């Protein structure tokens, strides 16, 4: 058994951070098995291995800024009480990994995971939600996420999907955002056979805010599907959707964005943007940016594009002596960076920047199947994480 | 303050959106109507009435079989009670409409009919008509008169009612009818293919530039009747034609169905401009009555460098379901869709376009301007498709919505599909209202609130209105203001 | 007396901005209203024009002997009240020409006159464009859409020339102008000075008053006119600022 796998088993039974062990050693236990482990990011982490929640997640623990408990075998609840501001992000790692003893390699995994996050009035929390797999496990992960934000609460929900091509993920997120509360979601789809993220965010009070971001980089025959509906049920709420993606090879994708402004939801501001780059003849994309508006005093707009890199910019860069390949890569990176720099957690932004840059250089692509499971291969042997 | 602001704006809106439909009169004329209901017999009756050849009857019967298997579509953003297709009269004709084929001689037309069209602003006497426009006037199921047919035929241009074309130019009609909109395309297309009564046929021969505007004016008059007109335009290589369409109906408490098909073939290097001012009776303020307008309009740019441009001003109908589309098959062909749709009171409009890019370097432009007032619902729905061979093709779409009042809705439902890395699709949309600042600015210059709204709406829609032929533009601008009477915002 | 403002109080929402303004303006006069930002200068102009964002809570305004506050916005305009906006709004798709034609004809209708015919209007417009060197090109563009700061202000003065008001409030007409545009705009205003009209120039800086020489200078501070003097007062304000006045008034 490799060192990494040892770490895993330990982590599976003892959620180090949650039992009060300092985060540094937590990461040591988790080891470098996790490509989601962001070296510069100090988090409380929790590992959800092959659908099994750590068993000792019962009730309230002193000295922790939240309550984390299992409601059932497949349901995890995180609650932050009124006024509590959690500085350190909570990292929830959903890991699909072959376990020697269970012999799940042949049968594949079918996971239905449910997670509820409740934030009391004025509470603040950042959740980094990683879905990760090893190279060969075949898995289907259905994640149901429920987010409830009391007035003035703030929640960042950052989801990183990085699984092998035999895995499919279907995430469905429902959020209720009360007056003055703010929800920030970001779905980064980096690798996976089928990645489907559906979210519905209800803005139920005045000055509620939501920003839903997405970045997808797909190739091979990967499929990525993002569906977002933001309901402005109350006046004076603001929302924004920004989804960008690059599709290579025979990858295909779809974006369905929907802004709904209820009758009486005056002074709404809602903006929706979806931009896509198609790199090959076989890549396909469909976008459906919807606006459904029943109030007149609103500012709503959307924009959607499917296209290529700006030829003028390419030409300009080449005139400055930059090679076509480099120029393309720089522009693609700039394209993706618009989403990355809005994530709001600097170490994570840096981590993603590195990932995306490598991906665009083709280095990560070089690893068979997976963008990140590359510690074993030569090209990525010296990665910093 | 916000309340006060709202009150003043709303008041102005309400004042402006209350207007009367000026075209709502009924012509008291003896009309031959078929019993209500739709079955094979109905279709045989219509076909016989028009003296159609067997192939045409077969076409209809086949369409009827398809229709029976289809379901009425309900994906549009509408709310209306079920339509009873057996409670509709499928044939109604003014008895004295001088044959059912578009008379050549005005003297043969009932003076009542002449007066009706006169009242609608359409003179059927050639010397009185708008300069440079030839009109085909259709009332209920028949074409009343087609003007300038003889003069046009000297250029080889065919402009006549579709019934006449079926008899006189069977080869042309047979070749193209149903080639762009097959009977099986959708529920309403199948219905129309089975029971269509009249409409216009246009053929422009190779290299001919039609010197005048061609126009069809559709009028529903009879009670309980539906109107199912069919228009077929074929522009042969290198030709050009500008075609206009207008329509009105009496004010009645019950809804009336209008299900039309327009098919356009544009050959290599040819250009067709199709303009519509749709002003069917919209129903009253409470939403009673009005036309249900389910229309399939589609053209194909068959050859290279062909161009088809749709311009529409939609102010009427209780329900508008209409997506004038372009199939861009020829390389370097161009499709355009310019639309202003105004809904007021309880009107519901779901309109837009489809641009299907097949050929290389094809171009399409979509400009849609929606205005919603009262308790109306106004949707833009559009499809832009870039197929794998559409290298270097481009689409640009802009869909703006303007809301007047807080009880209406404005929606945008685009669908963009791209399968080509060398194609570019851009879509943008905004939703807004007439700002208090704009109103204040205009009123400070002495412009009444009502005029200010008319001015601002006309400015907002200007990009579309300026595409209309001159003869239509003036009418359209006036119609926009009238449609919103009683509704400043 | 053209305009008499007596103890005018006005608020926006719960916030009182004008707290007892008194001002008398005769025909043939040019008044300058100066004062620190956020003290009610623009509000005063807006209230005179009838902007519904503001509520008049107290006081009286007589214009040509009539109660101005009873009139609607457009009635005031038709009676000859003009506001040169500090931030003129954009009206997309509406050309300046059709905007002005609508305005002039509605005003003529108000006075029981026939509308101006196209040709007459075209000539009239051409003549008035010269007042502020408004180019033909600009006149064809949509009202204020994509205009530079200078173009917007020129457009305001051009409209004033077209409408020939009896009483014009020019709100910060000099803000954002370079020296050439300032000279053109001020020159335009001077051409429009007549014995039978009055102009009120609202400005933050004295430099505009080098070009448009006022008969009276008022200082509006704390929602009231705290000092009135001859044109030299403007120079004094330029030199000493407003603080001394505030101190004097105990604000």
């Amino acid at each position: 058994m490799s060192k990494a796998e040892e770490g895993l088993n330990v982590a599976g039974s003892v959620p180090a951070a949650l039992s009060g062990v300092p985060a540094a050693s937590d990461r040591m236990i988790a080891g470098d098995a996790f490509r989601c482990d962001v070296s510069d990011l100090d988090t409380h982490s929790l590992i959800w291995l092959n659908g099994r929640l750590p068993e000792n997640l019962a009730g309230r623990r002193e000295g922790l800024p939240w309550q984390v408990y299992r409601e059932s075998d497949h349901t995890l609840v995180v609650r932050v009480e009124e006024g509590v501001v959690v500085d350190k992000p909570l990292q929830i790692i959903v890991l699909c990994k072959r376990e020697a003893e269970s012999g799940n390699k042949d049968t594949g995994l079918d996971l239905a995971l449910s997670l509820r996050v409740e934030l009391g009035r004025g509470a603040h929390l950042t959740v980094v939600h990683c879905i990760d797999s090893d190279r060969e496990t075949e898995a289907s992960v259905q994640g149901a996420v429920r987010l409830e934000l009391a007035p003035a609460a703030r929640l960042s929900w950052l989801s990183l999907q990085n699984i092998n091509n035999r895995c499919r993920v279907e995430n469905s997120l429902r959020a209720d955002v009360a007056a003055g509360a703010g929800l920030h979601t970001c779905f980064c789809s980096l690798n996976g056979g089928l990645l489907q993220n559906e979210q519905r965010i209800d803005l139920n009070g005045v000055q509620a805010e939501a920003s839903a971001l997405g970045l997808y980089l797909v190739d091979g025959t990967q499929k990525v599907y993002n569906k977002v509906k933001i309901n402005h049920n109350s006046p004076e709420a603001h929302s924004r959707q920004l989804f960008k993606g690059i599709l290579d090879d025979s990858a295909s994708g779809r974006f369905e964005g929907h802004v709904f402004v209820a009758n009486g939801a005056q002074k709404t501001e809602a903006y929706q943007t979806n931009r896509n780059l198609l790199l090959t003849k076989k890549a396909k994309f469909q976008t459906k940016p919807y606006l459904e508006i029943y109030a007149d005093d609103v500012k709503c707009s959307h924009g959607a594009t499917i296209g290529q890199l700006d030829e003028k910019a390419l030409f300009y860069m080449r005139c400055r002596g930059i090679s076509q390949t480099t120029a393309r890569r720089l522009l693609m990176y700039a394209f993706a960076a618009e989403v990355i720099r809005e994530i709001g957690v600097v170490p994570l932004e840096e981590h993603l920047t590195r990932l995306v840059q490598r991906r665009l250089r083709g280095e990560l692509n070089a690893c068979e199947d997976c963008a990140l499971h590359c510690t074993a291969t030569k090209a990525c042997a010296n990665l910093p994480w | 303050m916000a309340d006060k602001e709202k009150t003043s704006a709303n008041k102005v809106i309400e004042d402006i959106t209350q207007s009367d439909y000026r075209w709502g009169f009924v012509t008291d004329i003896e009309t031959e109507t078929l019993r209500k209901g739709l079955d094979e017999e109905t279709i045989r009756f219509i076909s016989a009435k028009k003296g159609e050849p067997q192939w045409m009857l077969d076409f209809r019967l086949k369409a009827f079989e398809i229709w029976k298997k289809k379901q009425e579509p309900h994906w549009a953003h509408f709310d209306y009670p079920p339509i009873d297709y057996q409670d509709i009269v499928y044939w109604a004709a003014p008895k004295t409409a001088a044959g059912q084929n578009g008379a050549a001689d005005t003297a043969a037309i009932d003076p009542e009919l002449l007066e009706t069209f006169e009242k609608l602003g359409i003179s059927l006497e050639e010397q009185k008509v708008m300069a440079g426009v030839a009109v085909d006037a259709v009332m209920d199921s028949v074409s009343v008169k087609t003007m300038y047919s003889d003069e046009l035929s000297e250029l080889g241009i065919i402009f006549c009612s579709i019934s006449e074309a079926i008899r006189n130019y069977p080869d042309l009609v047979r070749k193209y009818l149903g080639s762009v909109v097959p009977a099986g395309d959708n529920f309403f297309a199948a219905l129309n293919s089975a029971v269509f009564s009249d409409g216009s046929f246009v053929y422009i021969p190779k290299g001919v530039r039609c010197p005048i505007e061609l126009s069809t004016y559709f009028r529903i008059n009879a009670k309980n009747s539906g109107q199912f007109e069919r228009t077929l335009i074929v522009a042969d290589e290198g030709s050009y034609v500008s075609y206009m369409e207008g329509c009105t109906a009496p004010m009645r408490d019950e809804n009336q169905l209008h299900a039309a098909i327009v098919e356009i073939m544009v050959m290599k290097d040819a250009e067709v401009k199709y303009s519509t001012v749709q002003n069917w009776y919209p129903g009253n303020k409470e939403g009673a009555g009005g036309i249900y307008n389910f229309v399939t309009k589609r053209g194909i740019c068959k050859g290279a460098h062909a161009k088809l441009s749709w311009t529409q001003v939609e102010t009427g109908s209780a329900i508008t379901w209409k997506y004038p589309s372009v199939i861009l098959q020829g390389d370097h062909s161009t499709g355009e869709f310019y639309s202003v749709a105004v809904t007021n009171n309880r009107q519901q409009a779901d309109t837009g376009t489809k641009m299907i890019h097949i050929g290389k370097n094809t171009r399409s432009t979509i400009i849609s301007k929606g205005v919603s007032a009262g308790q109306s619902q106004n949707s833009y729905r559009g499809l832009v498709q870039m197929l794998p061979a559409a290298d270097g093709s481009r689409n640009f779409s802009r869909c703006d919505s303007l809301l007047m009042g807080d009880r209406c809705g404005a929606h945008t439902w685009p669908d963009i599909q791209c399968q080509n890395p060398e194609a570019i699709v851009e879509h943008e949309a905004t939703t807004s209202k007439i700002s208090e600042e704009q109103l204040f600015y205009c009123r400070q210059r002495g412009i009444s609130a009502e005029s200010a709204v008319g001015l601002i709406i006309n400015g907002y829609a200007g990009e579309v209105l300026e595409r209309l032929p001159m003869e239509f533009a003036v009418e359209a601008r006036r119609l926009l203001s009238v449609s919103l009477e009683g509704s400043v915002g | 007396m053209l305009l008499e403002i007596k103890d005018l109080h006005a608020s926006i929402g719960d916030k009182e901005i004008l707290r007892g303004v008194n001002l008398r303006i005769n025909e043939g006069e040019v008044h300058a209203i100066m004062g620190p930002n956020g003290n009610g200068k623009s509000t005063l102009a807006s209230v005179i024009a009838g902007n519904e964002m503001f509520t008049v809570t107290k006081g009286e305004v007589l214009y040509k002997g009539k109660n101005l506050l009873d009139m609607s916005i457009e009635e005031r305009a038709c009676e000859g009240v003009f506001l040169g906006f500090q931030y003129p709004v954009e009206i997309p798709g509406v050309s300046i020409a059709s905007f002005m034609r609508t305005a002039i004809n509605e005003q003529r209708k108000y006075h029981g006159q026939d509308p101006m015919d196209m040709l007459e209007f075209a000539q009239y417009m051409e003549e008035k464009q010269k007042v502020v060197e408004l180019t033909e090109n600009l006149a064809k563009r949509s009202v204020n859409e994509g205009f530079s700061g200078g173009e917007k202000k020129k457009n305001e003065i051009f409209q004033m020339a077209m409408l020939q008001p009896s009483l014009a409030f020019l709100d910060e007409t000099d803000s954002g102008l370079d020296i050439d545009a300032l000279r053109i705009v001020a020159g335009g205003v001077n051409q429009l000075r007549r014995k039978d009209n009055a102009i009120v120039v609202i400005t933050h800086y004295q430099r505009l008053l080098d070009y448009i020489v006022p008969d009276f200078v008022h200082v509006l501070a704390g929602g009231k006119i705290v000092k009135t003097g001859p044109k030299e007062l403007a120079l004094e304000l330029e030199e000493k600022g407003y603080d001394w006045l505030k101190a004097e008034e105990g604000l």
Side-chain angles (χ1 to χ4, degrees):
Chain A
M1 190 184 278
S2 75
K3 196 180 159 195
E5 279 166 342
E6 271 170 23
L8 266 182
N9 289 338
V10 176
S13 54
V14 185
L18 295 164
S19 49
V21 177
S25 55
D26 168 37
R27 233 188 3 257
M28 269 163 51
I29 293 167
D32 49 3
F34 305 103
R35 286 77 194 177
C36 280
D37 182 30
V38 183
S39 53
D40 304 328
L41 181 62
D42 187 12
T43 64
H44 296 282
S45 52
L46 180 143
I47 295 144
W48 206 335
L49 176 65
N50 292 341
R52 294 197 307 276
L53 275 173
E55 278 158 22
N56 56 349
L57 281 175
R60 192 189 177 92
R61 281 163 195 274
E62 294 304 320
L64 285 171
W66 51 51
Q67 294 176 54
V68 179
Y69 58 92
R70 17 193 292 187
E71 202 173 64
S72 70
D73 286 353
H74 303 291
T75 305
L76 178 72
V77 179
V78 177
R79 182 175 294 150
V80 182
E81 297 300 336
E82 181 170 339
V84 175
V85 174
V86 185
D87 296 329
K88 250 197 245 181
L90 168 65
Q91 188 175 20
I92 298 172
I93 300 161
V94 172
L95 187 64
C96 305
K97 173 117 177 70
R98 186 171 63 86
E99 290 172 288
E101 59 274 32
S102 73
N104 63 12
K105 190 186 175 189
D106 302 326
T107 51
L109 288 165
D110 200 352
L111 310 179
L113 310 174
S114 168
L115 176 63
R116 196 164 79 239
V117 181
E118 299 166 5
L119 264 60
R121 183 179 285 269
H124 288 212
L125 178 68
T126 295
V127 178
V128 182
H129 180 244
C130 302
I131 302 184
D132 205 340
S133 76
D134 63 11
R135 241 195 275 182
E136 60 268 353
T137 300
E138 193 177 325
S140 164
V141 181
Q142 301 215 350
V145 178
R146 190 88 186 75
L147 307 176
E148 287 167 24
L149 282 74
R154 300 257 139 202
L155 176 63
S156 276
W157 176 268
L158 309 169
S159 177
L160 270 67
Q161 296 148 23
N162 213 347
I163 51 174
N164 73 52
N165 284 342
R166 281 183 286 275
C167 291
R168 46 193 290 155
V169 171
E170 287 167 48
N171 276 319
S172 128
L173 180 149
R174 295 279 176 278
D176 277 291
V177 185
L183 172 65
H184 175 59
T185 66
C186 183
F187 284 86
C188 293
S189 303
L190 297 172
N191 207 82
L194 171 78
L195 300 169
Q196 182 170 322
N197 300 306
E198 193 215 331
Q199 43 185 327
R200 192 186 83 202
I201 300 171
D202 280 278
L203 299 175
N204 300 325
V206 291
Q207 285 161 24
E209 280 180 28
S211 77
L213 305 182
L215 176 68
Y216 37 93
L217 306 173
V218 283
D219 56 22
T221 55
Q222 297 172 349
K223 290 181 174 54
V224 61
Y225 172 32
N226 280 290
K227 186 172 177 177
V228 191
K229 187 173 186 206
I230 299 184
N231 294 321
H232 285 256
N233 303 322
S234 159
E236 294 174 48
H238 290 198
S239 75
R240 193 167 70 113
Q241 300 172 19
L242 174 66
F243 281 77
K244 298 185 86 170
I246 303 176
L247 294 99
D248 204 348
D249 301 334
S250 299
S252 63
R254 181 145 48 114
F255 171 76
E256 284 181 40
H258 193 159
V259 173
F260 174 89
V261 179
N263 185 242
Q266 300 292 27
K267 310 273 177 210
T268 287
E269 284 190 31
Y271 305 100
Q272 183 190 53
T273 307
N274 176 227
R275 308 217 178 281
N276 303 282
L277 294 178
L278 293 189
L279 302 184
T280 71
K281 277 249 165 196
K282 285 179 181 160
K284 279 196 279 200
F285 201 81
Q286 177 179 28
T287 176
K288 294 177 163 192
Y290 290 166
L291 298 177
E292 184 178 4
I293 295 163
Y294 298 93
D296 63 333
D297 192 5
V298 299
K299 286 190 186 132
C300 296
S301 70
H302 68 202
T305 55
I306 307 177
Q308 313 90 50
L309 296 171
D310 182 354
E311 288 296 330
K312 279 187 208 132
L314 275 176
F315 178 73
Y316 184 85
M317 291 168 96
R318 292 173 71 188
C319 287
R320 293 290 177 269
I322 300 168
S323 75
Q324 167 128 351
T325 323
T326 310
R328 286 182 70 84
R329 203 174 63 231
L330 285 172
L331 287 175
M332 280 194 273
Y333 171 67
F335 176 86
E338 194 192 347
V339 175
I340 296 174
R341 66 168 166 261
E342 300 225 15
I343 286 174
V345 178
V346 175
L348 198 59
E349 288 176 11
E350 289 168 353
H351 174 68
L352 270 164
T353 297
R354 284 192 297 270
L355 282 186
V356 169
Q357 283 177 339
R358 279 174 183 276
R359 175 83 193 251
L360 295 175
R361 273 203 293 269
E363 289 174 20
L364 299 188
N365 204 18
C367 304
E368 198 186 320
D369 294 338
C370 167
L372 290 171
H373 300 147
C374 39
T375 40
T377 70
K378 250 188 198 168
C380 307
N382 300 315
L383 289 183
W385 62 83
Chain B
M1 167 215 125
D3 280 350
K4 191 185 172 205
E5 212 178 303
K6 189 179 159 223
T7 324
S8 77
N10 278 3
K11 193 189 164 304
V12 192
I13 288 172
E14 270 151 30
D15 291 347
I16 287 201
T17 39
Q18 310 305 322
S19 82
D20 291 323
Y21 185 70
R22 288 196 312 129
W23 305 266
F25 62 90
V26 179
T27 307
D28 187 14
I29 192 164
E30 216 184 326
T31 304
E32 180 187 10
T33 52
L34 180 61
R35 56 159 174 81
K36 283 180 180 175
L38 176 56
D39 51 28
E40 217 180 286
E41 204 183 312
T42 315
I43 291 162
R44 289 182 187 280
F45 175 87
I46 294 170
S47 189
K49 205 72 193 162
K50 301 168 91 62
E52 286 176 355
Q54 185 63 37
W55 64 265
M56 195 61 240
L57 177 62
D58 293 344
F59 178 97
R60 289 175 180 278
L61 291 172
K62 199 175 142 202
F64 181 59
E65 287 308 312
I66 294 170
W67 179 75
K68 283 195 286 188
K69 293 190 193 87
K70 281 199 175 290
Q71 297 288 315
E72 189 185 295
H74 285 283
W75 41 259
H77 192 80
F78 291 147
D79 181 16
Y80 61 93
I83 298 171
D84 181 354
Y85 291 91
Q86 298 304 335
D87 195 35
I88 292 171
V89 171
Y90 287 86
W91 171 268
K95 270 194 174 155
T96 46
Q100 279 108 16
N101 338 319
D105 184 5
T106 321
I109 303 174
D110 188 316
E112 277 280 348
L113 275 178
L114 289 180
E115 200 190 314
T116 299
F117 282 97
E118 202 87 42
K119 255 166 119 176
L120 297 169
I122 311 293
S123 174
L124 299 185
E125 292 174 56
E126 285 172 11
Q127 60 272 28
K128 282 201 208 155
V129 86
M130 289 184 282
V133 184
V135 180
D136 179 11
V138 177
M139 190 193 274
D140 297 327
S141 301
V142 295
S143 169
V144 175
K145 166 147 173 76
T146 309
M147 280 180 283
Y148 290 116
S149 288
D150 299 342
E151 289 84 343
L152 290 169
S153 69
E154 280 168 27
L155 293 165
I157 295 171
I158 303 169
F159 177 44
C160 62
S161 74
I162 192 105
S163 312
E164 204 179 334
I166 290 167
R167 287 192 306 272
N168 298 347
Y169 313 99
D171 295 344
L172 272 177
V173 176
R174 209 172 167 176
K175 183 168 174 193
Y176 294 115
L177 192 74
S179 68
V180 190
V181 182
D185 189 77
N186 65 69
F187 178 85
F188 294 105
L191 179 64
N192 175 287
S193 300
V195 303
F196 73 86
S197 37
D198 222 329
S200 301
F201 175 73
V202 176
Y203 174 80
I204 315 287
K206 273 186 194 169
V208 172
R209 208 181 152 83
C210 183
I212 54 175
E213 306 275 346
L214 303 185
S215 166
T216 306
Y217 194 93
F218 295 102
R219 172 73 178 171
I220 294 177
N221 187 58
K223 218 179 161 172
N224 299 322
S225 71
Q227 193 178 49
F228 307 93
E229 89 259 358
R230 183 112 191 177
T231 296
L232 176 59
I233 299 175
V234 180
D236 218 328
E237 288 181 13
S239 68
Y240 167 85
V241 65
S242 169
Y243 183 91
M244 312 186 288
E245 175 199 64
C247 33
T248 54
M251 291 161 70
R252 294 190 197 283
D253 290 342
E254 76 272 17
N255 299 106
Q256 282 181 281
L257 180 65
H258 171 255
I261 291 181
V262 175
E263 289 180 282
I264 304 180
M265 300 284 301
V266 194
M267 304 304 184
K268 185 169 163 278
D269 298 320
E271 180 178 352
V272 175
K273 281 179 75 169
Y274 193 106
S275 313
T276 306
V277 174
Q278 188 265 105
N279 187 27
W280 295 116
Y281 177 53
N284 71 10
K285 292 176 188 77
E286 286 73 44
I291 302 294
Y292 287 173
N293 188 30
F294 293 92
V295 174
T296 306
K297 292 187 169 182
R298 189 179 304 149
I300 182 164
C301 288
K302 198 89 179 138
H305 298 281
K307 182 175 179 184
L308 173 55
S309 178
W310 297 101
T311 304
Q312 62 174 24
V313 176
E314 302 283 316
T315 59
S317 297
I319 283 178
T320 299
W321 181 98
K322 181 178 169 188
Y323 316 91
S325 306
V326 186
I327 299 167
L328 295 145
Q329 188 183 64
D331 293 347
H332 303 278
S333 59
T334 304
E336 293 177 336
F337 175 75
Y338 288 84
S339 170
V340 178
V342 179
T343 53
N344 195 357
N345 300 316
R346 305 278 183 146
Q347 281 176 275
Q348 305 176 68
D350 193 298
T351 182
T353 185
K354 292 189 222 176
M355 293 289 174
I356 315 295
H357 292 254
I358 300 171
K360 290 185 186 21
N361 298 310
T362 49
R363 295 278 178 279
S364 67
T365 305
I366 299 171
I367 304 290
S368 164
K369 303 271 180 177
V371 181
S372 325
Q375 299 176 62
S376 67
Q377 299 296 331
N378 197 331
S379 290
Y380 165 81
R381 188 181 303 275
L383 172 68
V384 174
Q385 235 179 346
M386 293 288 175
L387 294 172
D391 293 357
S393 294
R394 290 198 72 143
N395 159 268
F396 174 76
S397 308
R398 204 176 64 245
C399 306
D400 295 329
S401 305
L402 196 70
L403 292 124
M404 300 174 66
D406 54 9
R407 291 171 303 166
C408 52
H411 320 299
T412 317
W413 318 101
D415 184 350
I416 300 162
Q417 300 173 12
C418 186
Q419 298 182 42
N420 189 304
E422 287 164 39
I424 298 177
V425 188
E426 289 172 90
H427 171 98
E428 54 192 54
T430 61
T431 301
S432 56
K433 65 170 197 163
I434 295 176
S435 70
E436 290 293 329
E437 289 83 9
Q438 285 174 328
L439 269 184
F440 179 56
Y441 191 79
C442 292
R443 294 175 71 189
Q444 207 301 307
R445 298 301 185 247
I447 300 172
S448 68
E450 202 156 321
S451 304
V453 168
L455 195 68
I456 293 166
I457 296 283
N458 269 294
Y460 164 79
E463 208 178 334
V464 175
L465 299 176
E466 70 190 20
R467 317 267 320 169
L468 288 171
M470 188 97 99
E471 293 81 3
F472 257 30
V474 180
E475 173 69 5
R477 282 186 183 275
R478 209 182 48 75
L479 201 53
L480 274 193
S481 307
V482 171
S483 301
L484 288 167
E485 250 170 41
S487 80
V488 185
Chain C
M1 180 88 47
L2 185 63
L3 183 77
E4 187 172 11
I5 303 174
K6 293 185 217 165
D7 193 28
L8 184 66
H9 291 247
S11 327
I12 181 161
D14 297 335
K15 198 177 161 201
E16 185 169 56
I17 298 178
L18 299 183
R19 302 170 182 201
V21 174
N22 290 289
L23 184 63
R24 295 157 72 95
I25 296 170
N26 289 301
E27 286 164 340
E29 294 174 351
V30 172
H31 292 241
I33 298 181
M34 302 183 71
N37 280 334
N39 275 250
K41 299 193 300 291
S42 292
T43 301
L44 177 62
S46 285
V47 168
I48 295 301
N51 192 332
E52 288 160 352
M53 269 172 64
F54 301 95
T55 315
V56 174
T57 49
K58 196 177 165 193
E60 200 182 356
V61 180
L62 292 175
Y63 170 72
K64 293 181 178 170
K66 286 186 262 185
N67 183 353
L68 187 76
L69 300 177
D70 276 355
M71 300 182 198
S72 71
I73 303 167
E74 51 268 43
E75 260 179 284
R76 298 178 200 205
C78 293
E79 288 290 344
V81 175
F82 180 89
L83 171 60
F85 286 75
Q86 184 179 3
Y87 304 109
V89 69
E90 297 184 1
I91 310 180
V94 178
S95 71
I96 293 181
S98 75
F99 179 66
M100 272 294 101
R101 207 158 81 89
T102 311
I104 282 178
N105 286 338
E106 294 241 338
Q107 294 209 13
R108 287 173 78 113
K109 191 166 129 198
Y110 177 86
H111 294 292
Q113 297 164 328
D114 290 334
M116 210 183 253
D117 71 47
M118 283 287 250
L119 190 67
E120 191 187 347
F121 176 78
Q123 285 166 349
Y124 182 63
M125 185 155 152
E126 195 180 336
E127 176 194 321
K128 297 300 179 189
Q129 271 169 242
K130 290 178 192 145
V131 172
V132 283
E133 301 171 25
L134 194 75
T135 59
E136 188 60 36
N137 189 25
L138 200 64
K140 282 183 185 150
R141 279 166 57 186
S142 297
V143 178
N144 296 318
E145 197 181 29
F147 283 23
S148 70
E151 286 169 338
K152 283 185 180 169
K153 296 302 164 72
K154 276 190 191 178
N155 184 21
E156 293 298 292
I157 303 306
F158 160 71
Q159 291 181 33
M160 177 180 162
M162 291 290 284
L163 298 171
Q164 303 188 19
S166 314
L167 173 66
F169 272 76
L170 304 179
D171 191 1
E172 306 259 358
T173 296
D174 52 333
S175 67
L177 296 188
D178 63 30
I179 196 73
D180 290 328
L182 182 66
R183 202 162 44 224
I184 292 169
V185 166
V189 174
N190 285 329
Q191 288 177 54
L192 300 173
R193 280 177 89 152
R194 294 196 316 258
K195 285 222 155 26
D196 61 348
N197 70 8
I199 296 170
V200 181
V201 180
I202 294 171
T203 182
H204 194 60
Y205 300 106
Q206 196 271 335
R207 69 169 189 167
L208 177 68
L209 305 181
D210 289 342
Y211 297 92
I212 305 171
V213 182
D215 300 305
F216 302 96
V217 174
H218 310 277
V219 178
L220 186 63
K224 282 181 181 176
I225 290 184
V226 294
K227 196 166 181 70
T228 295
K231 62 176 188 283
E232 289 75 17
L233 176 59
L235 290 167
E236 198 179 345
L237 290 168
E238 179 82 352
E239 195 182 318
K240 292 158 72 178
Y242 294 110
D243 287 348
W244 64 281
L245 266 177
K246 285 188 188 164
E248 215 169 70
E249 290 295 314
L251 291 167

